[in-house]
Amino acid sequence: MTVLIDTAMWPAHGTVWAHLVSDSSLDELHAFARSQALPPRSFDLDHYDVPAERWQALVDAGATPVSGRELVTRLRASGLRVSARERRGL
């Protein structure tokens, strides 16, 4: 079980954002997010959006830095990935 974080590079709301995911369970992801006081509203179906200024603290707390490509690959392999098509249908 690993919590993964990609590089903060997604611009929005005056900052850049990273994605925080689990490669095994949403329960693990939510527990980690709670332990780091991430707001529940930052959860987006299969990941948490986290601002760049929180990135290092999350790594220090145990999130493993990976490339965006590796993050998506491992999220898909876990079966937890919510596709764009599924997002539109929600």
Side-chain angles (χ1 to χ4, degrees):
M1 291 192 252
T2 305
V3 174
L4 309 168
I5 191 167
D6 65 1
T7 303
M9 62 182 194
W10 305 98
H13 310 291
T15 190
V16 290
W17 300 78
H19 300 109
L20 186 73
V21 305
S22 169
D23 68 355
S24 61
S25 84
L26 291 179
D27 288 339
E28 174 189 40
L29 178 60
H30 292 310
F32 183 84
R34 278 191 306 275
S35 77
Q36 299 305 303
L38 294 178
R41 72 180 180 277
S42 66
F43 181 67
D44 186 13
L45 303 176
D46 60 5
H47 69 276
Y48 281 83
D49 292 316
V50 294
E53 57 269 13
R54 296 288 312 270
W55 191 90
Q56 189 61 56
L58 295 170
V59 170
D60 292 347
T64 301
V66 295
S67 69
R69 171 173 252 153
E70 182 176 351
L71 183 135
V72 170
T73 298
R74 289 178 63 179
L75 186 59
R76 282 183 182 145
S78 74
L80 298 173
R81 175 76 169 138
V82 177
S83 70
R85 175 176 282 158
E86 292 168 317
R87 286 174 191 283
R88 286 189 301 270
L90 294 176

